[in-house]
Structure formats: C-alpha cells, structure tokens
Amino acid sequence: MHLVSLIAALLQAAAPAAPPTPADPVDGDWRTIPDDELLVMTLAGDKRVVIRLAPRYAPVHVDNLRKLARAHWWDGSSVYRVQDNYVAQWGDVTEKKPLPSSVIANPPAEYVTGSYDAVTQMTRRDPYAAKSGHSADGWPVASDGKAAWLTHCYAMVGVGRDMAPSTGSGAELYAVIGHAPRHLDRNVALIGRVVEGMEYLSSLPRGTGTMGFYAPDQTPTPIRSVRLASELPAGERPHFQYRAADNARYSAWVKGRENREPPFFEVPAGGADICNAMPPVRPTPTK
C-alpha cells in the first residue's frame, strides 16, 4: 500500500465514530418481515425482485397472490408493459391463462380500510389526503378523516384491473416506476412494495405501444418464477426487516426528512410528501 494511502487509512480507522442522532434507530427498532409476506420474482438473467406483501390492507388480494405463487402461475409469464414515469406491469399478456380454481376473480374492492392507523404524521397536508403518515409496521398511509389507504409511491405494487366492477384478481400486477401517481389512490388495490431489485423493473426498455404496452416488435421480459419466500429452501430465502415507527427515534427521522439540514441544505422545506419519506426496509444483517 502506498504510504499516503496507509496513513489515510490509519487516520480513518482512528477517527471517532460520529455521535448518534435522535433519529438513529436502535437494534430493537428493526422487526422481521415474515417469510410468507415476501414474494420473490426471478426475471430472466437471474435478476431477483422481492416484494413485501401487505395482508393487513388487502387480505383477500394477498391471499390470491399466495395461491397464485404456490400454483407457480406466473412462471413463464412476462413484464409486458413499461410506461415511462408511471408503471411496469406483469402477468399473462394473452389474458387467456386460466386462474387456479381457488383464486377469487374479483375480490372485494380493497382500496381503503376502515381505520387510519398511522403513528406518525406528516406536517403538511398533501393534495390527495387530509393527512398522511406511517403505520407502526412500516407502511405509508393516508386518510380523508373517514377511511384510510396505502399510497401510490415509488416501488409500491398494485393490482391491475379492468373497468369496474372488476377489482383485479392479482394475476396482473404493476410497480410504480416514476413520479408517485397518487390519483390512483382509492381506485386500485395496493398489495405491497418492492424492497429489493427495483432497479430491474425501473430500467427496462419502455414500451412503444399505447400506455407503454410492448409493441409487436418488442420483447417482453420473461419471468422465470414467482415464489413466496416461505416456499423456498431455507438457504435460498431472502430476509428483510422494517423499521418500526412507534417510537421517538422514528418521529425524529420523519422530521429530518421534512427539514434537511446543513451543510448542503441552506433552506429547510418545512415539510415533505409522504412519498419522500418512505418507511425504511433493510436486508436482515448477517451475524
């Protein structure tokens, strides 16, 4: 090693660690996401996309997804729509593949829930909701004072559907790859969020057909398999944790997102959109 590099490395090693801030989590703030709430999609080229499911908010749709995954229904399907600054969508492009008999073709419209369970609150009201914040178990939620719903932020995953009364079985899914399309809130069932491999969806070639569907001269991205993590061999299962929001440290983190600090930021914003404060999720650290 060059002498200058060696000295720099030694100085860095000897430098005291930065003192913790009020927003820094402690070990107990990180909670394990159950294996049956992780959907693992493998694209061509062994590119892995992991989706955290939200059964509390869309229980019937998530039950459908689990049945579809256990039936290996998505194997051999594709990502066939990529609309710039909007969504990447996947499933059976022919719309002819029969669903497993146990899958409900049109579940209840799980677009809203009965109670607003946020434990943090964003300072400013956004254009789409009277209030928004984070649930204790790490989901972005909004409310009009009567009902509550998950928000269409980057990497959130929703259920494709036809015109009402269709609610979508869950066989066709999309992930938000652009600016948050919050106008979709309360109109589509959100079933989860991509927590790994989002770059594989957001960087796909854009479809040149109407609404970003792939034209006949374009090649959809093949899906090799979709499995629940709980169905994979133990050694192949991904493991993730969400940061619990029901504590003062998380509230301090939210305030930090709303008011970025010097030295780079000279003017604090005084607030933030819920989609600019997405709940932290991380791979479970190896011991």
Side-chain angles (χ1 to χ4, degrees), residues 41 93 204 263:
M41 178 166 67
V93 68
L204 288 173

Side-chain angles (χ1 to χ4, degrees), residues 81-147:
R81 175 192 179 197
V82 184
Q83 186 170 356
D84 190 47
N85 199 32
Y86 200 47
V87 300
Q89 185 168 325
W90 62 91
D92 172 35
V93 68
T94 70
E95 298 185 337
K96 296 179 180 179
K97 188 174 183 178
L99 297 173
S101 59
S102 59
V103 169
I104 300 173
N106 281 294
E110 297 176 308
Y111 307 158
V112 300
T113 62
S115 60
Y116 180 60
D117 61 356
V119 296
T120 69
Q121 300 296 329
M122 305 305 293
T123 298
R124 289 181 177 167
R125 175 174 175 171
D126 71 43
Y128 297 94
K131 53 186 177 181
S132 58
H134 306 87
S135 68
D137 56 348
W139 291 103
V141 293
S143 175
D144 59 0
K146 299 176 182 178

Side-chain angles (χ1 to χ4, degrees), residues 190-204:
L190 283 170
I191 56 82
R193 172 190 176 190
V194 175
V195 295
E196 179 184 275
M198 188 62 200
E199 66 273 19
Y200 300 132
L201 296 174
S202 63
S203 63
L204 288 173

Side-chain angles (χ1 to χ4, degrees), residues 216-279:
D217 62 342
Q218 293 184 288
T219 303
T221 298
I223 296 175
R224 288 183 49 204
S225 66
V226 178
R227 301 285 186 273
L228 289 167
S230 56
E231 297 292 304
L232 296 173
E236 298 177 13
R237 297 178 186 179
H239 299 287
F240 286 85
Q241 299 173 324
Y242 67 88
R243 183 177 172 181
D246 55 352
N247 56 78
R249 294 170 297 281
Y250 195 97
S251 295
W253 175 81
V254 172
K255 295 303 180 186
R257 300 294 295 179
E258 292 184 320
N259 295 282
R260 305 301 181 92
E261 297 182 350
F264 183 84
F265 290 91
E266 297 183 7
V267 180
D273 185 288
I274 184 66
C275 294
N276 291 121
M278 287 296 283

Side-chain angles (χ1 to χ4, degrees), residues 126 129 132-133 139-142 149-154 156 182 185 190 274-275 278:
D126 71 43
S132 58
W139 291 103
V141 293
W149 56 88
L150 294 178
T151 57
H152 271 81
C153 299
Y154 183 79
M156 293 294 284
R182 294 285 305 282
D185 291 0
L190 283 170
I274 184 66
C275 294
M278 287 296 283

